[in-house]
Amino acid sequence: MFAFILARLLQSVPVLLAVAFISYGMFAFVGDPVTAMLGQDFTAAERQAMIHQLGLDQPFYLQYLHFLWNVLHGDFGLSYRLARPVGELIAERLPATMELAVSAAVLSLLIGVPLGVFTGINRNSALARGLMTLSLIGVSLPTFLIGILLILVFAVLLGWLPSFGRGDVVHFSHWSTGLLTSSGRRALILPAITLGMFQMTLILRLVRSEMLEVMRSDHIKFARARGLSEHAIHFHHALSNTLIPVITIVGLQLGMLIAFSIVTETVFQWPGMGLLLVQSIGVADIPVMSTYLLLIAVVFVVINLVVDLLYFAVDPRLRSQGGR
Amino acid sequence: MALLDVIDLVVEFPTRRGTLRALDGISFSIEPGEILGVVGESGAGKSLTGSAIIGLLEPPGRVASGQIQFEGSRIDRLSPAQMRPIRGRQIGAIFQDPLTTLDPLMSVGRQLVETMQTHLKLSDRDARARAVQWLEEVGIPAAAERVEAYPHQFSGGMRQRVVIALALCAEPKLVIADEPTTALDVSIQSQIISLLKRLTESHGTSVMLVTHDMGVIAETCDRVAVMYAGRIAEIGPVADVVRTPSHPYTEGLMGSIPSLEARVERLRQIDGAMPRLGAIPQGCAFNPRCGRTIARCFTHRPDLMPAGATQAACWLVGGGAA
Ligand SMILES: Nc1ncnc2c1ncn2[C@@H]1O[C@H](COP(=O)(O)OP(=O)(O)OP(=O)(O)O)[C@@H](O)[C@H]1O
Ligand code: SF4
Ligand SMILES: [Mg+2]
């Protein structure tokens, strides 16, 4: 088990190095960092000094190693736009994005899985058919449109929920959360629904088709032939056998939620990393963009590892092999 | 009173191009403690008969007419909720492929406990103890340790033993075993059959044993039903059907058995193929392949008629073309 985790972590090292390389490439070759740092007026000497200070006069591989070294020490450079350490900026924004993404994921699981089971079992009922049709809308409507529609109905017309921002937040050293204040919770609802809508319908459809598949299998027929209750058949034997593909997709989707919260954060002016990224792209704030890229890569590596560990928890066949 | 009575059973599949009649007027019965063998070519309707009895026909398949009586009362019109206490508790089932019939994510012990507790009032401790007993009884070595093991940790033969334990653990009065050894290695097939025979004998369980293996039929069964194209061609005591078959199709099947000991001998290939469901000829369904046809065979369909100790659906028996 431990060996497996270690092997997986080692496997992800080349991936991270490659992403770091791209992210460094952005840093070094996209735009002109020297001009960006110095502004409009500078002398040739100042420019030379800055090039030296940034290490741009060194050989390429040394620059890359230097970049890696800095990253490993938590030094991601200065934001051109805000002239503050990027690490700090991201750390400020991370809690807002994580809170939004995790809420959206939990919401989509809590709704998507039961509805998937329901539509899978009662395939021909009118309600199940209606849900499937609705889910098509969820899959095909673009996120920004869902967000705008929700704002229109619940914020503008009904006035029940705020249309932007994160409400009041409570700080704990490096973390901040809006879950502990009522305005924070109210502010979270619409963005979480918007962000989670696609995932929810995706999970619903996935669980449904997996349920249909499993319900046809021999072991379910044998469970029926033994007279087990519908409840035992659906939940002890069928649902558990749909979990492997569901875990795979949900894991990937959580990564997507974090990476692509950009649109939702923009629509709701949510003060997270996505909004930071959009603002940074607008002025080509490369250090922020490359750090964001690195962070997303790390998020995916971690999620993949967790997914693999969940496989072990769910499937005894993998457990006894001790890893594939 | 017979334990199971199947009376004129018709099973149909509605399709876009009309209704397919997969079972066409099947009648037979099984006495308490009796083992009825069922043989016939692929597609003859053996598995469908079993599925109809335990009420697990896959939609759109349905019992169109006829009756299935268990201990004298009809079970073919019961709701799923009424049928559930019968499945497993009164009528058990063993399927063909032990590699796929067990839930891969649940330990064999839990599957046994779950099945027993569904039907019998047992505490967790008693159910567990019985699960170990059952594994011992079906010949799993070190049963007490392996009760927590998962299906993939057993070989195919051992898994089929677990399946047998699962089918019998709620002590049903009838077990439908649909080709329980076809998927297994030849070397262990006879072990599984003799285990099944020993266990059902000691519990007084009746068995409907579907197989392609005439050797198994001859050694294991009391009576045998020969199926052809959704109907029973011949049914009777094993010795009579094997030694003095009355139906030309049965004769063809038996022609290949050199002796009753030859266990690996499969059904002999008879020239031609069984007709597809949509294309069953008028008169006797066997007429395209039969070497002894008379005029009547092409116009009228024969029903089961007494033929010595057996019954056969052939115009040559029971008064011929009368
Ligand atoms: N879902 C279905 N739709 C239409 N026809 C079906 C369906 N299921 C079974 N049949 C037909 O019913 C007939 C009997 O099938 P069955 O599975 O009982 O055969 P069998 O005697 O068990 O054969 P085998 O020895 O191959 O197991 C076959 O001709 C098959 O084509
Ligand atoms: S009824 Fe006729 S065709 Fe059918 S088996 Fe008998 S002799 Fe052959
Ligand atoms: Mg079959």
Side-chain angles (χ1 to χ4, degrees):
Chain A
M1 188 66 158
F2 181 72
F4 170 79
I5 298 177
L6 203 66
R8 267 300 146 107
L9 285 178
L10 284 178
Q11 277 168 21
S12 56
V13 168
V15 177
L16 289 177
L17 282 178
V19 174
F21 186 77
I22 296 170
S23 129
Y24 165 71
M26 277 168 67
F27 198 65
F29 302 117
V30 179
D32 180 358
V34 179
T35 315
M37 301 287 275
L38 287 175
Q40 294 300 318
D41 301 319
F42 52 86
T43 64
E46 276 172 345
R47 184 182 163 83
Q48 216 41 54
M50 179 56 88
I51 286 178
H52 183 72
Q53 191 193 332
L54 290 176
L56 294 179
D57 50 356
Q58 286 174 350
F60 177 72
Y61 71 93
L62 271 184
Q63 290 185 39
Y64 175 53
L65 288 179
H66 188 68
F67 172 81
L68 280 182
W69 179 258
N70 285 343
V71 163
L72 287 176
H73 288 76
D75 177 3
F76 301 96
L78 287 181
S79 156
Y80 300 160
R81 182 171 64 102
L82 301 168
R84 290 181 51 201
V86 174
E88 235 176 79
L89 286 174
I90 298 254
E92 275 172 24
R93 306 297 193 101
L94 189 68
T97 293
M98 293 304 276
E99 195 162 290
L100 178 58
V102 170
S103 307
V106 169
L107 194 73
S108 59
L109 278 174
L110 285 184
I111 299 177
V113 172
L115 287 187
V117 172
F118 173 81
T119 50
I121 294 169
N122 306 292
R123 165 160 63 133
N124 295 320
S125 79
L127 185 55
R129 282 165 195 266
L131 281 170
M132 288 309 290
T133 314
L134 273 183
S135 78
L136 265 184
I137 300 174
V139 173
S140 47
L141 268 193
T143 304
F144 75 88
L145 199 59
I146 296 176
I148 289 171
L149 286 176
L150 287 178
I151 289 178
L152 182 68
V153 174
F154 293 97
V156 178
L157 294 180
L158 296 172
W160 290 352
L161 295 167
S163 62
F164 68 91
R166 206 184 164 198
D168 299 324
V169 294
V170 180
H171 290 271
F172 299 96
S173 67
H174 291 298
W175 200 259
S176 67
T177 176
L179 290 175
L180 296 178
T181 69
S182 81
S183 79
R185 283 191 296 266
R186 278 158 43 85
L188 184 59
I189 296 176
L190 291 185
I193 293 177
T194 306
L195 182 59
M197 181 67 83
F198 177 78
Q199 270 69 23
M200 187 202 87
T201 48
L202 194 78
I203 290 171
L204 186 162
R205 299 179 77 86
L206 176 74
V207 170
R208 173 183 181 271
S209 66
E210 290 295 326
M211 279 296 277
L212 288 177
E213 181 80 30
V214 172
M215 291 301 283
R216 273 199 297 271
S217 64
D218 285 354
H219 70 85
I220 294 295
K221 191 175 179 198
F222 189 46
R224 285 242 151 82
R226 282 178 282 149
L228 301 188
S229 68
E230 290 293 298
H231 175 86
I233 288 170
H234 293 153
F235 293 98
H236 299 174
H237 295 283
L239 184 59
S240 56
N241 275 281
T242 67
L243 283 182
I244 293 272
V246 171
I247 288 171
T248 312
I249 300 294
V250 169
L252 271 179
Q253 290 300 321
L254 183 63
M256 298 285 186
L257 284 177
I258 296 172
F260 297 124
S261 62
I262 301 168
V263 175
T264 306
E265 290 190 7
T266 309
V267 171
F268 288 93
Q269 290 296 298
W270 187 262
M273 293 188 305
L275 195 58
L276 176 68
L277 181 70
V278 170
Q279 290 160 349
S280 304
I281 291 174
V283 296
D285 194 344
I286 302 291
V288 174
M289 288 157 66
S290 62
T291 308
Y292 184 81
L293 187 65
L294 263 180
L295 182 73
I296 294 301
V298 170
V299 164
F300 271 95
V301 165
V302 170
I303 286 177
N304 271 330
L305 185 67
V306 171
V307 163
D308 279 332
L309 292 178
L310 283 176
Y311 284 174
F312 276 100
V314 168
D315 196 331
R317 286 165 293 192
L318 297 178
R319 273 205 293 282
S320 61
Q321 282 167 26
R324 277 157 295 173
Chain B
M1 184 178 63
L3 180 67
L4 179 81
D5 276 303
V6 176
I7 304 162
D8 214 11
L9 179 67
V10 175
V11 167
E12 291 179 342
F13 287 92
T15 69
R16 250 175 278 137
R17 285 181 289 130
T19 303
L20 287 181
R21 190 167 273 214
L23 295 184
D24 190 5
I26 300 266
S27 298
F28 66 91
S29 57
I30 299 180
E31 301 295 323
E34 184 183 44
I35 303 186
L36 175 75
V38 178
V39 288
E41 269 163 280
S42 190
K46 308 180 294 293
S47 301
L48 278 186
T49 309
S51 302
I53 293 170
I54 50 173
L56 287 178
L57 282 176
E58 271 167 45
R62 60 191 185 94
V63 174
S65 66
Q67 296 195 5
I68 299 167
Q69 295 180 355
F70 188 79
E71 296 188 313
S73 41
R74 282 185 75 167
I75 57 170
D76 55 298
R77 289 282 181 272
L78 297 184
S79 68
Q82 291 168 315
M83 196 62 204
R84 212 168 297 128
I86 294 176
R87 289 188 204 126
R89 180 72 184 98
Q90 306 290 343
I91 306 176
I94 298 170
F95 295 131
Q96 183 169 337
D97 189 355
L99 299 188
T100 58
T101 37
L102 296 169
D103 184 341
L105 304 186
M106 198 186 270
S107 73
V108 297
R110 263 195 68 201
Q111 297 191 44
L112 278 162
V113 166
E114 184 186 32
T115 309
M116 287 187 283
Q117 288 189 327
T118 301
H119 296 292
L120 313 170
K121 279 207 163 46
L122 286 176
S123 68
D124 290 351
R125 264 184 73 190
D126 292 350
R128 231 192 93 92
R130 275 223 213 173
V132 176
Q133 273 172 23
W134 270 109
L135 291 181
E136 277 165 1
E137 209 169 339
V138 295
I140 305 279
E145 290 141 47
R146 308 205 68 186
V147 69
E148 296 301 337
Y150 289 87
H152 72 274
Q153 292 166 304
F154 294 86
S155 69
M158 286 296 153
R159 278 194 233 188
Q160 196 63 313
R161 289 169 190 265
V162 173
V163 170
I164 291 175
L166 276 165
L168 295 179
C169 66
E171 291 162 21
K173 299 184 178 116
L174 170 68
V175 175
I176 295 168
D178 192 349
E179 306 195 35
T181 59
T182 306
L184 298 179
D185 203 84
V186 178
S187 59
I188 46 178
Q189 290 186 351
S190 66
Q191 292 173 20
I192 296 293
I193 291 292
S194 49
L195 171 74
L196 186 64
K197 179 158 172 133
R198 182 165 55 74
L199 282 179
T200 52
E201 219 164 55
S202 66
H203 289 83
T205 315
S206 304
V207 184
M208 177 177 144
L209 177 62
V210 177
T211 175
H212 284 277
D213 189 333
M214 284 308 299
V216 165
I217 296 278
E219 250 175 54
T220 319
C221 301
D222 302 307
R223 285 189 310 136
V224 59
V226 179
M227 291 190 64
Y228 188 82
R231 290 170 64 82
I232 292 182
E234 183 162 6
I235 183 168
V238 166
D240 300 277
V241 173
V242 170
R243 259 187 248 120
T244 56
S246 302
H247 194 285
Y249 178 62
T250 322
E251 248 171 60
L253 288 184
M254 302 306 155
S256 64
I257 312 181
S259 78
L260 294 190
E261 277 77 45
R263 187 174 289 121
V264 289
E265 198 62 59
R266 290 308 171 96
L267 296 187
R268 190 181 84 161
Q269 289 294 278
I270 301 169
D271 290 342
M274 199 172 65
R276 283 182 302 106
L277 283 184
I280 293 178
Q282 207 195 344
C284 174
F286 190 57
N287 67 30
R289 301 166 77 184
C290 184
R292 311 213 325 242
T293 50
I294 55 176
R296 203 169 185 148
C297 302
F298 297 95
T299 52
H300 293 78
R301 211 179 52 182
D303 286 322
L304 281 177
M305 290 170 276
T310 75
Q311 289 179 291
C314 171
W315 291 123
L316 299 181
V317 303

